[in-house]
Amino acid sequence: MARVVGMFKTLRTHWKKSTVGVCLCAWGGSWVYGKHCDNLLRRAACQEAQVFGNESIPSNMEVKKATVFLNPAACKGKARNLFEKNAAPILHLSGLDITIVKTDYEGQAKKLLELMENTDLIIIAGGDGTVQEVITGLLRRADEAAFSKIPIGFIPLGKTSTLSHTLYPESTNQVQKRNLELESSEVCFKSRWECTRHITNATLAILKGETVPLDILQIKGEKEPVFAVTGLRWGSYRDTGVKVSKYWYLGPLKTKAAHLFSTLKKWPQKHQASLMYLGPTERPPEESEEKLPRAPLYVRIYRRLLQYWSHPAKEIPQEAAHEAWEEVKLSAIELSITTQNRQPDLMRTEDFMNICIEPDTVSQGNFINRGSQKVRDPQMCPEGSQCLQASKCILKLPEGTEGFFGIDSEEYEAMPVEVKLLPRKLRFFCDPQRREQVLQAAVKHVNQKRTQSCQRTTESASHHS
């Protein structure tokens, strides 16, 4: 008892040292507990992956090959460590034949895709920039029609991972969800447990095999075409958002400070251009993936002979359909051309991309406030903006126009471009829960349209009666 009393007297006498010691112990305990939670998550994920690895395959079937494109420089150089700790063990236990390709410099993934041999899966481990490089290299291939059918997996390890909102449900997407609250989308600054859970869930989603078709934008300028999953941005909000990190010393005020300083340098900020576009196109029926059984030999011989003896049909020349182009002269503070991948609708009857033209009449105060919202949600189209739906558009810029486009968070020099929608071009692995959410949303949307149509019919009938 005397020792306990003496210990409390010592702590009271040296209360400053005691406070520091308690804080260090609390921090150390939290760190150890976090490591323990990480290990439990990894162990559970590895056990789930081992179930896939233990499945038997027929003797005449080869092991599936998966090619992983890893960007070690993502997440400020932490991507390699995150991948090796959280994703690599799951992939190796799954029974896949894994080939890991590490990129050394920007643009290397595009070149490597040109040399890639046949593979069953493509896995992208990085951020938006890595995704954009891989799909651009994939779709630039001469045999892209065959390679575009290869399913693609995405493991979010980059500073920005916009595709995560599409492929993974909000309940498991805690990394990006909390990033939005902090006006940042950096995975690497989140708690270890949340980051580990998100990466392991994304890797397991690849093994579960559920896929969702996503639209792709083909952006063609003076050079080779570039392909994007999210879209293209051009304007003041994008230019200012890139500079936000320079004001890191201002803490939570850095976003507003960047937009404030932008208004002091130049105001009003106008981006003038000419936009020609075509309206939405009707969605063709989806091709069935099931192969029809091959006809018997005598049926095939009969068809060949019939084709040989029959007279060739005369081809009737058809007039080329006239494309109804529409033109818009714009003077905007920002222009964005985006896909519908953020909220994919698997049952829609038309294919189109969204064009948002934000007017340049915004005040400086609204520019600062709206700029913070645009950092959190770059695809936001504010009220009062001109919204268009197009399957193809041509953006013409005045001579001497300077600045940059933002294509999937990557900078490209601003120039006249042609943007074309490639509907449902690539299939990405997604979480089964997220796919179920997308299907439910599509069915709900269809039911709402039917209800509105019935109401209009009823109102029209009552009006005529």
Side-chain angles (χ1 to χ4, degrees), residues 49-246:
Q50 197 168 12
V51 175
F52 293 95
N54 292 336
E55 292 180 354
S56 59
I57 59 175
S59 57
N60 59 345
M61 184 182 294
E62 296 182 356
V63 177
K64 286 187 176 181
K65 297 180 180 179
T67 304
V68 182
F69 289 90
L70 171 62
N71 180 11
C75 198
K76 296 188 176 181
K78 298 179 182 179
R80 178 177 179 178
N81 186 40
L82 289 172
F83 175 80
E84 291 178 350
K85 279 188 174 182
N86 304 305
I90 298 174
L91 294 175
H92 288 298
L93 287 170
S94 65
L96 297 173
D97 183 7
I98 304 295
T99 301
I100 300 176
V101 180
K102 298 177 182 178
T103 57
D104 297 324
Y105 55 88
E106 185 177 352
Q108 187 183 21
K110 299 176 187 176
K111 299 179 180 179
L112 293 174
L113 259 296
E114 298 176 1
L115 306 174
M116 185 182 69
E117 298 179 353
N118 290 333
T119 184
D120 297 305
L121 308 176
I122 296 175
I123 300 175
I124 305 171
D128 287 351
T130 313
V131 174
Q132 193 257 331
E133 282 192 24
V134 170
I135 66 169
T136 296
L138 181 69
L139 296 178
R140 281 182 181 176
R141 292 178 62 108
D143 54 351
E144 61 86 15
F147 270 77
S148 61
K149 297 180 181 179
I150 299 174
I152 301 173
F154 175 57
I155 302 176
L157 300 175
K159 181 179 178 181
T160 53
S161 300
T162 310
L163 202 56
S164 296
H165 299 283
T166 302
L167 304 178
Y168 311 114
E170 291 295 331
S171 58
T172 59
N173 191 10
Q174 295 297 326
V175 179
Q176 276 70 27
K177 187 176 180 181
R178 189 173 170 191
N179 285 338
L180 294 178
E181 296 172 359
L182 298 177
E183 298 186 6
S184 171
S185 56
E186 297 183 1
V187 176
C188 34
F189 291 134
K190 307 321 305 161
S191 69
R192 288 193 311 273
W193 186 75
E194 291 176 347
C195 188
T196 301
R197 182 174 64 171
H198 188 52
I199 295 172
T200 54
N201 286 342
T203 310
L204 288 172
I206 298 173
L207 306 182
K208 294 173 183 177
E210 294 286 346
T211 60
V212 61
L214 297 184
D215 299 338
I216 302 296
L217 293 185
Q218 176 184 284
I219 304 168
K220 188 182 297 184
E222 299 174 356
K223 302 178 182 179
E224 290 184 292
V226 175
F227 298 86
V229 180
T230 304
L232 177 148
R233 292 178 65 198
W234 175 53
S236 302
Y237 292 117
R238 190 219 71 87
D239 296 339
T240 308
V242 174
K243 301 176 183 178
V244 168
S245 59
K246 294 182 179 180

Side-chain angles (χ1 to χ4, degrees), residues 275 277 326 328 352-357 386-390:
L275 181 71
Y277 68 96
E326 297 186 36
V328 176
F352 57 87
M353 52 190 174
N354 295 315
I355 302 176
C356 179
I357 305 172
Q386 185 178 1
C387 300
L388 306 174
Q389 295 178 347

